[in-house]
Structure formats: C-alpha cells, structure tokens
Amino acid sequence: MAESSTMTAHQTKPGQPKSSTPVAEPALGVKGMLRWAWRQATSMRTALFLLLLLAVAAVPGSLFPQRPVNAAAVTRYLKDNPDTGRFLDSLQLFDVYASAWFSAIYLLLFISLIGCVVPRARAHYKAMRSRPPRTPRRLSRLPEYETMVLPSAAGVSALQAVTDAAAVLKKRGYRVDVRDTDEAMPSVGAERGFLKEAGNLVFHVSLIGVLVCVGIGGLFGYRGQKILIEGETFVNTLVGYDAFTPGTNFDPATLDPFAVTLDQFDVRFDRESTRQFGQPIDFTAALTTKEEPGAAGRQQILKVNEPVYFGETGIFLVGNGYAPIVTVKDGNGQTAFSGPVVSVPSDGVFTSSMTIKVPDAGPDQLGFVGFFLPSAIKNDQGVSYSFDPDPLNPQLNLNSYYGDLGLDSGQPQNVYVLDVKNLTQLNGRDLPAGGITLGPGATYTLPEGKGSISFDGLKRYIGVDIRATPGQGGVLVFSLLAVAGLVASLYISRRRVWVRTGTHPDGRTMVEYGLLARGEDHRLAGETEALRELFTKQWQLPATAGAPNTAQPAKDR
C-alpha cells in the first residue's frame, strides 16, 4: 500500500499496460497570451528589428516626391504616370512620414523601447545596490588566476592582507565587499564596470528622447514655403506664406513675429573650367531682418546650408530664379498689371516658363504664357533658346489670350498654369500676328485693340523653406547622449575580482586572486598584471615575489 500510494497518476507497475489517459497540458489562456505578446514586443530583438524597419520605411520618402515638400512635383508625377501614381498614392508613398504605416512603426518602436528599457533599468539599479557575488571556492578555475606569498617577516596577517587588497581595489574603481573576516580564510569580492550597462541604458533612453522630440516637432511645428523677389518683405503670418503645412497641434499664436526683406540676390557661375562651365558655384542672399515689430533692422546673409534662425524657426534657401518686370495695359488704356512676375526654371541655363494672369483688364481679361530666356539666341530653325544662365540678353517669348480666366468662380488655380479652355488666343507662332518677343524696355501692342505689354526690367527671386521644429534642440542633446552611451557600452568592461587570503603553518600569508569578465574582454590579462603590480607595491614585495607562481597552475584555461 505504501508503495502504491507513492506512485503518481501516470505511473504504472512493470508489466502493466500503459494508461491511455492523456497528459493534461497547462492552458496558456488569454492572460498568458497577452503576457507572451508583451514580452516579444518589448524584447531587444524586436526593438532592433523595428529600428531597422523604420530606416527601410523612410527610403520611399527619398525616392518619390513628397506633398509637404513639393506638391507640384507630386501633381506632375501623377499626371505623367496616372496608373502607377494612383497605386503609389493609395499606399501613401507621397506622404511617407505622415502615413498610417510609418506612424505605426514609429509608435511600435517607441513602445518597444520603453518596455525594453524600464525593466533593464530596474534590474540594473538592483544590481548596483546589491553586494558583489560570493567568493568562488576554487579561484583557480577563473580565466585569470594568480597567487602571491607574503613572508612572515612582513608581518601582514590574513585579515590585514584582505583589508589592504580591498583598499587597492577600491582606489582602482571597484565596488568592494570584505567577507568571512571571522574565519581562517577571509576574502574580498569586487566588481566594477557598471557604467557599461548604464551607457547601454543611456543609449536606449536617448533613442526614446529623440523619438519624443521628433514627435513634439511634428505636433507643434510647421513648415511653409515663400517666394521672395528682390525688394520684397515677408512678415511671418499665415497669410504671408505661399504654402503652409502646420503640425497636428499647431497654434498660430506661436509664430515668431519676424520680418525678412530680400535686398539683393547674387549667383556666381563657373567661368573658368571647361567641363563645369556655367554651373552655379555660390548663392548669396543679402537680407534685412527684424525679430519683432519695431526692432532695428539687422543685415544677414542667407546661403545654401547656411540658414538664418529666429529662435527655433529656420529659413532655408531652396531655390532661385528670375522675375521679369512687366506692365500690361488693357484695351481701355488703363494699367491693369505692373510688377515682377516669377518665372520657373526648367534647365541649367535658367530657361524659365512664365504665366501672367490679368483679371483686372477690360473689356476682356488677359492671359500670357511663354518663356523667359536669360541669354537669348536663335538656332538654325529660327527658334530662340538660352545659351547662358546669366542675363546677357534677356528676352520674353509669349503667347497672349483673352476671355474668362475663371478666377471669379472661387475655384483655386495654380498660378503657374494658364487654363486656356475658355480663352481665345491672340498671339502665337502659328497665328498671323505671330508670337510676342520682348527685350528690356520694349513694348508690344496686342491685336484687336486688346492693349499692350512691356518688358520694363529684371529682378531675381529666391525660394525659401521656413521650418519651426520645437524639439530640434532636444534631438541634438539626445543624439549626443546616445553617442556617449554607445561609446561607454563599447569600451567599458564589466569585471569581477575575488581575493582570498590564508595563513600557512610556518607564518607566511598566502594570497590568491582571480578575475572574471562579463562578456568578451581582451584586456582582462592586462588588468591582472596591473593588480599584481599594485599588490606588490602595497606589501613592499620584491618583483620576483609578485611574479606568477609557476609551482601552481597560474591559469586554468
């Protein structure tokens, strides 16, 4: 009975058939599944995978035009590639950084890093407050092991030797713990290198900080574009922008009240080399800036990769071109339009498209479309083209239209595109009146008494990108901390040292010590030599006494 009572439900006596009762397996349950999923999501492997996935997900942002940066390029891409563009747009590849899938990866990485760092930080804090591990019974099994003998004439007892060893280790940066002082063989355990794990934690916490700061910039920042013609002033208000993309929680009251005037814009082209002749070398925009209304003007220079800052708002030079000064008089002899017109460059010699809309002309609205050529010359077919980016022979080549421009319908229009659907053409190469060709100071009279157009002068303009990213200072700080933490985790070694002493019957004090590294540490042998020298100096031993004892196995490999 006693024997049978000790048998489990699934044991059978020899010779008996095995029970057909199935083994009861523990059920994981919903709670267990959630715990398992959380552990997988917050593992370091998952965090690294998500970080790599985030980098890969950012690649389409550099391959395809992005709406927040260049909406016109996206529209042109969709027009040139209707089927492919529609498919790519459905995948949000023209709004990569605001897409649902990119945001999901971003949030998952954020959660994974927090779930990974918090437990590790708690465990590291406990490890720092705990005592070094107990002294192993056989120190000779450690990767680095040596012995020393203190002669009885030195007068150093076993307890005193342990105390001296603890002092040496403490000066070297170890956290020490003297134990077994009431026994015959006292020992000391020491440990250092906690900054290695601390650096690792700082690195991961800094990554979280970078993500948070980038998120703050996306929530409370903004981005806008503005065309500034020489002599014009831009005031940082919402109505002053040509295009404006606010953050999710952007508040217009946070706009810095600065003003910028473009005094002059200079472009320097290569005039010396043969292979790069005519290529731009330097762009310089001379600005007069005011940080707030009523403040004194300040002269500043804006260049490519040298932005001008107002607090956390930066102005970046991203484009430039020519703005011919045009005067249009209508059929009633009234000046319907006068001023510079922005032309859009299409090649390296600044051949630029131009669109002029004159809704105030009477009795019919007027429109002009064509090209501006900085240095005009004709080819063998009599077609004008520009041979140089500098304005050596500026010329306007235009076609004119009259009718309804469609501006009164309330529908937004692209200022650089003229819709000729409801217009009647006046001038053109294929019409009897021919096209309009104007040099500086010239005036052309439109057919049918519709008015005239004159080319009065030339100015330059710049395209600026204005960005406010509230968290950019934090991004810099956390990035530097991440680098410092990574360097610490790579170059600081985690080491443990144990020293045990004992008294020989003849009065000599025997000392043995061993070292152990947590992870790979090719400098552990050098640390052993350094400790040997320090111990030798501490106990005033001859150099030969401090050498490794070859009578015993100095190292057990």
Side-chain angles (χ1 to χ4, degrees):
M1 293 295 291
E3 181 180 356
S4 61
S5 63
T6 60
M7 297 179 61
T8 64
H10 303 292
Q11 288 179 330
T12 57
K13 291 184 179 181
Q16 288 183 344
K18 294 184 178 180
S19 172
S20 60
T21 304
V23 177
E25 298 181 356
L28 189 59
V30 178
K31 187 177 181 180
M33 282 291 297
L34 293 176
R35 185 184 295 111
W36 177 84
W38 174 253
R39 288 179 179 175
Q40 294 299 316
T42 57
S43 65
M44 182 59 65
R45 180 178 62 255
T46 302
L48 292 174
F49 174 76
L50 290 172
L51 188 62
L52 176 62
L53 189 61
L54 188 70
V56 174
V59 172
S62 60
L63 297 178
F64 302 103
Q66 300 297 297
R67 280 195 177 90
V69 179
N70 194 341
V74 175
T75 303
R76 186 165 55 251
Y77 188 95
L78 292 173
K79 183 179 179 180
D80 297 339
N81 307 275
D83 297 331
T84 305
R86 190 161 44 251
F87 173 72
L88 295 176
D89 200 15
S90 66
L91 298 179
Q92 298 180 296
L93 292 182
F94 300 121
D95 299 277
V96 168
Y97 307 108
S99 63
W101 47 271
F102 190 87
S103 300
I105 298 173
Y106 187 92
L107 291 175
L108 284 175
L109 175 61
F110 187 78
I111 294 172
S112 179
L113 285 174
I114 292 178
C116 177
V117 169
V118 171
R120 290 183 60 181
R122 188 183 299 117
H124 183 60
Y125 176 75
K126 291 181 179 179
M128 291 182 64
R129 292 180 60 86
S130 63
R131 300 171 59 188
R134 64 180 181 85
T135 306
R137 289 188 176 182
R138 298 184 61 181
L139 293 178
S140 59
R141 291 187 174 182
L142 297 180
E144 294 292 331
Y145 170 74
E146 292 188 0
T147 62
M148 303 182 73
V149 179
L150 308 183
S152 56
V156 180
S157 63
L159 182 58
Q160 182 63 38
V162 164
T163 304
D164 294 342
V168 170
L169 293 171
K170 191 171 184 179
K171 288 182 179 180
R172 195 158 177 80
Y174 285 88
R175 183 169 60 95
V176 300
D177 178 47
V178 179
R179 69 277 301 260
D180 304 328
T181 56
D182 55 348
E183 298 182 6
M185 301 183 66
S187 64
V188 58
E191 192 173 14
R192 81 171 185 180
F194 286 97
L195 287 179
K196 181 181 182 67
E197 180 64 16
N200 200 354
L201 291 173
V202 167
F203 172 74
H204 290 90
V205 171
S206 298
L207 289 182
I208 297 175
V210 169
L211 294 177
V212 170
C213 292
V214 170
I216 291 174
L219 288 174
F220 302 102
Y222 64 88
R223 185 171 190 170
Q225 289 77 40
K226 177 64 180 177
I227 297 294
L228 264 179
I229 302 174
E230 288 178 326
E232 286 188 350
T233 298
F234 166 73
V235 180
N236 191 30
T237 58
L238 290 180
V239 296
Y241 285 91
D242 297 328
F244 189 81
T245 305
T248 306
N249 294 342
F250 169 73
D251 183 3
T254 61
L255 287 173
D256 295 317
F258 62 83
V260 176
T261 301
L262 176 61
D263 299 323
Q264 185 177 355
F265 181 68
D266 295 317
V267 182
R268 186 161 60 92
F269 298 97
D270 185 0
R271 299 302 182 189
E272 297 180 0
S273 66
T274 55
R275 297 184 60 183
Q276 301 294 330
F277 185 84
Q279 295 298 315
I281 297 176
D282 185 50
F283 303 92
T284 303
L287 306 177
T288 299
T289 62
K290 295 183 179 181
E291 295 190 0
E292 57 184 16
R298 179 184 175 190
Q299 304 300 317
Q300 291 186 276
I301 297 298
L302 176 66
K303 290 190 174 186
V304 178
N305 297 325
E306 295 182 16
V308 173
Y309 280 96
F310 299 90
E312 293 185 336
T313 303
I315 300 180
F316 299 82
L317 179 62
V318 295
N320 70 93
Y322 291 100
I325 302 174
V326 175
T327 298
V328 177
K329 292 186 177 182
D330 60 15
N332 301 324
Q334 302 296 320
T335 300
F337 174 83
S338 181
V341 180
V342 172
S343 63
V344 182
S346 59
D347 56 25
V349 291
F350 282 78
T351 301
S352 307
S353 61
M354 280 193 63
T355 299
I356 306 173
K357 299 179 183 181
V358 190
D360 297 330
D364 299 298
Q365 295 180 343
L366 298 175
F368 302 85
V369 63
F371 295 93
F372 168 71
L373 306 175
S375 299
I377 191 173
K378 290 185 178 181
N379 58 15
D380 297 337
Q381 289 77 33
V383 179
S384 297
Y385 69 96
S386 180
F387 68 92
D388 195 273
D390 266 332
L392 304 178
N393 182 31
Q395 186 182 93
L396 286 179
N397 291 265
L398 301 172
N399 295 336
S400 64
Y401 299 81
Y402 74 93
D404 184 9
L405 296 175
L407 297 176
D408 299 329
S409 63
Q411 297 293 329
Q413 290 188 11
N414 190 337
V415 296
Y416 302 111
V417 176
L418 181 65
D419 186 1
V420 299
K421 182 171 56 177
N422 297 322
L423 299 177
T424 302
Q425 188 171 1
L426 285 171
N427 291 94
R429 182 181 301 175
D430 300 330
L431 297 180
I436 301 174
T437 302
L438 291 174
T443 301
Y444 181 89
T445 302
L446 299 174
E448 302 180 18
K450 297 299 182 181
S452 64
I453 181 172
S454 60
F455 182 12
D456 302 328
L458 186 63
K459 291 186 177 182
R460 289 184 181 270
Y461 73 85
I462 60 173
V464 295
D465 192 30
I466 304 172
R467 284 175 280 176
T469 50
Q472 64 180 357
V475 171
L476 175 61
V477 172
F478 282 115
S479 298
L480 295 177
L481 286 176
V483 172
L486 183 61
V487 171
S489 64
L490 291 176
Y491 289 97
I492 296 177
S493 301
R494 184 82 179 271
R495 297 166 180 166
R496 290 171 176 172
V497 179
W498 292 275
V499 181
R500 180 187 289 121
T501 62
T503 304
H504 195 271
D506 61 4
R508 291 179 299 170
T509 300
M510 314 300 294
V511 179
E512 61 174 347
Y513 58 95
L515 287 80
L516 177 66
R518 294 192 60 179
E520 295 291 333
D521 186 2
H522 62 278
R523 294 172 295 176
L524 191 61
E527 179 69 8
T528 305
E529 296 177 2
L531 289 179
R532 182 197 315 139
E533 295 177 0
L534 291 174
F535 289 153
T536 301
K537 182 178 179 181
Q538 175 67 29
W539 293 313
Q540 298 180 357
L541 299 175
T544 54
N549 190 348
T550 56
Q552 303 183 37
K555 299 178 182 179
D556 188 3
R557 303 188 186 278

